């Protein structure tokens, strides 16, 4: 990280990002099923009279191990940071915010696990480690991704996330929609199709809005929903997240085009090799970088409805995502 | 079907099974996203103020096409039949029961799509048609499965399924748990592991309870939950379903060992070729058949807490699953 370029606000935000990342890692470790057969808290609590007997875990422990491997692997944890930071604006408890943030990170993680499969992006390196299917085999990676998705919805519908069942239903519904064919999965489909045909700038933006933007948006919205935020505030956060997501994705593509494996923790020049449509390729490096800057400023402008002290980390994050080196 | 062997009760049940199957097919057709860009009812309704603009559908339409191909393909529809039949006991509306049943069938369908992948069971035939990945390619099949799972939870959290959000949360939570690492996915993991090692009869039963039993149980429970059934009644249906599921699975294995492709609509002798552990292999054909009969009788015995007129189809179904030829 080129510290000289970073403002105090970005350094403060970065400290908070690291703190949330650690708290999230601990929360996910606590709630993920354990291959040793001890049921996690979130599974055993609040199931009422109908709970099946807890049984010792056999070979299905391998799936749980793979779920943990893929989830507890560091990473920037930007989406959970958005959830927790937005939840903080509305005074939501840290425990509830981290649970909901974990659910979103499980959705993100499952999509990475499936995206790395040979039939998809065929990537053997993720967050500086062998991808899930390289470590556990393809079948286990497919199953671990599937179980992570189910687990995310199990968490979001759990009483611990929010006492009001209307809010829990809204969380499930909003995240499910953002994860599905009209969101994340739709974006990944466009991404695959983009390898075979030329996309216009508008089509690439649409692809990115589905693939990255919807989950960024929902990460912020979940924080707002937990705090029963007014519609205009929730909407402002949603717009912020969409612009942030696009700026983030352009920077990702810039890093792929310019960064090194050591800096980024993953293979670079992949887009070029696979003939992938990116804004960097369409617009050139300089215009793409300028576009990312504009989007970051636009994202910050959406935050004007809030008191500055509540959104300084979100502002700094928008500055950071376009200057990051990994 | 050898009609001479069927009692009137089984014929009545069969008529109801076919009727529910048709109604389910129509409901799924209605609610599944459409590749032509028309948003389905379930997606556009009840999203409140935060709905994103509906946009024309591009290449992500291929995922939707694959979701529809895999879902709208006939099949026995046993799980939805359980949901609708159990919901009927408690006077639940047909519309709500069919929506919840669709969600369960989407979970079942996604698991079949992923299970058929080359890295998993590697099956190119499903319900007498090419498997999803044969028709659309592996990447699309992975994504379609993922989107079907998300869609199931989107439906279960929707107001149309039940006016009480507590019930909707319970539906999401129960189905998510049954679909995850301690249910369906765990069972599939055990199934994969079983190709590499010898399993005892007890271990095979545990595998089947996870792989088939949990979703059968939840299919019945969802009907009971929709009707806010008393715990003892919900529990009775859960036990019925577990025994039914195991009886069903043994018959499936018997059909694989003895049936023909024309009769079953899928490849046969696959278990043997892959060295899969089945109760048929462990116990022999005669003892396995006797075991299935015993389980069917046990399943019927769990229904004694109900008025006979409410559960005659469930009784007949238990008789049917052990005598079926496909």
């Amino acid at each position: 990280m080129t510290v000289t370029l970073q403002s105090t606000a970005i350094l403060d935000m970065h400290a908070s990002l690291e703190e949330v990342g650690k708290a999230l890692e601990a929360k996910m470790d606590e709630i993920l099923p354990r291959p040793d057969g001890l049921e996690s808290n979130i599974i055993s609590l609040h199931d009422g009279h109908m709970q099946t007997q807890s049984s010792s875990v056999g070979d299905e422990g391998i799936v749980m191990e793979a779920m943990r491997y893929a989830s507890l692997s560091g990473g920037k944890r930007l989406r959970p940071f958005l959830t927790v930071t937005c939840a903080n604006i509305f005074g939501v408890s840290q425990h509830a915010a981290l649970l909901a943030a974990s659910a979103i990170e499980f959705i993100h993680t499952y999509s990475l696990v499936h995206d790395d499969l040979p039939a998809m992006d065929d990537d053997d390196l993720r967050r500086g480690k062998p991808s899930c299917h390289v470590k556990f085999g393809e079948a286990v990676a497919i199953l671990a991704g599937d179980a992570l998705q189910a687990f995310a919805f199990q968490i979001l519908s759990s009483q611990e996330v929010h006492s009001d069942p209307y809010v829990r239903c809204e969380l499930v519904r909003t995240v499910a929609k953002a994860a599905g064919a009209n969101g994340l999965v739709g974006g990944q489909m466009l991404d695959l199709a983009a390898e075979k045909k030329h996309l216009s700038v508008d089509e690439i933006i649409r692809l990115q809005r589905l693939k990255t933007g919807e989950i960024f948006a929902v990460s912020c919205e979940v924080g707002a929903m937990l705090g029963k935020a007014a519609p205009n505030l929730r909407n402002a956060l949603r717009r912020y997240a969409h612009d942030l997501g696009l700026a983030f994705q352009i920077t990702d593509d810039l890093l792929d085009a310019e960064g090194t494996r050591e800096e980024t923790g993953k293979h670079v020049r992949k887009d070029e090799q696979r003939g992938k449509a990116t804004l960097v390729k369409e617009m050139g490096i300089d215009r793409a970088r300028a576009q990312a800057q504009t989007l970051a400023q636009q994202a910050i402008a959406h935050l004007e409805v809030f008191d500055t002290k509540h959104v300084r980390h979100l502002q700094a994050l928008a500055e950071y995502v376009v200057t990051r080196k990994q």
Side-chain angles (χ1 to χ4, degrees), chain A:
Chain A
M1 211 173 69
T2 46
V3 178
T4 48
L5 287 176
Q6 312 286 342
S7 67
T8 316
I10 289 186
L11 290 175
D12 278 359
M13 180 281 296
H14 216 274
S16 173
L17 179 61
E18 283 189 0
E19 196 186 309
V20 170
K22 275 181 199 154
L24 181 92
E25 196 96 1
K27 185 61 73 187
M28 293 198 300
D29 183 34
E30 178 194 332
I31 64 179
L32 273 168
R34 292 184 171 279
D36 54 17
L38 296 170
E39 288 225 325
S40 75
N41 290 336
I42 196 82
I43 290 185
S44 56
L45 286 174
H46 305 303
D47 265 336
H49 51 270
M50 280 305 143
Q51 201 184 352
T52 48
Q53 319 88 301
S54 170
S55 51
S56 70
V57 174
D59 284 303
E60 70 268 39
I62 299 165
V63 165
M64 298 175 188
E65 220 181 288
M67 290 165 77
R68 300 181 73 85
Y69 175 83
S71 304
L72 306 174
S73 60
K76 284 181 291 292
R77 312 297 194 191
L78 275 187
R79 293 157 193 79
F81 180 66
L82 288 173
T83 303
V84 171
T85 307
C86 291
N88 280 343
I89 302 176
F90 308 101
V92 175
S93 85
Q94 186 78 352
H95 176 63
L98 283 172
L99 275 179
S102 298
I104 287 177
E105 190 69 1
F106 291 138
I107 295 278
H108 174 57
T109 302
Y110 113 70
S111 86
L112 296 181
V113 169
H114 282 187
D115 202 36
D116 286 341
L117 287 167
M120 304 271 296
D121 256 8
D122 193 14
D123 213 326
D124 57 9
L125 199 65
R126 173 63 66 184
R127 293 170 177 167
K129 296 194 305 179
S131 305
C132 191
H133 68 275
V134 173
K135 178 96 175 169
F136 293 93
E138 278 182 60
V140 175
I142 293 169
L143 290 174
D146 291 342
L148 280 170
Q149 177 164 210
F151 193 53
F153 294 111
Q154 192 179 334
I155 293 167
L156 290 175
S157 58
S158 122
Q159 266 188 47
E160 287 189 59
V161 170
H162 205 287
S163 58
D164 184 343
Y166 273 106
V167 172
R168 302 203 295 276
C169 283
E170 204 184 359
L171 292 173
V172 170
R173 204 168 155 66
T174 311
V175 173
K177 197 178 172 192
N182 285 299
L184 182 58
V185 167
Q188 284 188 300
M189 185 62 227
L190 289 183
D191 210 23
L192 285 173
E195 288 176 25
K196 290 176 194 148
K197 66 176 204 185
H198 181 259
L199 296 189
S200 67
V201 167
D202 281 355
E203 285 169 325
I204 298 169
I205 289 175
R206 172 165 161 66
L207 183 168
Q208 305 292 14
R209 285 186 92 86
L210 285 175
K211 192 184 168 190
T212 312
E214 275 303 311
I215 291 292
F216 265 63
V218 106
S219 300
C220 287
E221 282 188 275
V222 161
M225 281 185 262
L226 288 173
K228 295 192 174 183
N232 69 314
L233 300 184
R234 176 170 158 183
N235 233 338
L237 291 174
R238 180 175 173 82
R239 295 208 183 94
Y240 160 83
H242 259 299
D243 287 336
L244 182 79
L246 198 48
F248 177 81
Q249 194 58 54
I250 294 174
T251 314
D252 233 29
D253 297 338
L254 284 167
L255 289 172
D256 184 81
E258 298 189 313
T260 65
R261 179 181 149 158
E262 288 65 35
E263 281 175 335
T264 61
K266 54 188 174 186
H267 292 305
V268 293
R269 314 284 182 279
K270 283 208 58 173
D271 294 343
E272 203 180 310
Q273 282 161 30
R274 294 176 71 96
K276 274 218 169 166
T278 71
L279 287 179
V280 174
K281 195 172 142 201
E282 282 306 304
M283 306 172 91
I285 284 179
D286 291 344
R287 274 188 61 213
R289 197 185 309 282
Q291 181 70 30
Q293 291 286 356
T294 306
L295 284 161
Q297 290 316 310
Q298 228 170 269
I300 291 168
H302 292 307
L303 301 173
E304 278 166 10
V305 285
F306 295 97
D307 191 331
T308 312
K309 73 170 186 283
H310 284 140
V311 292
R312 59 193 177 88
H313 286 337
L314 295 179
Q315 290 169 338
L317 179 64
E319 287 177 46
Y320 167 69
V321 294
V322 292
T323 55
R324 71 201 170 92
K325 299 289 175 217
Q326 57 173 344

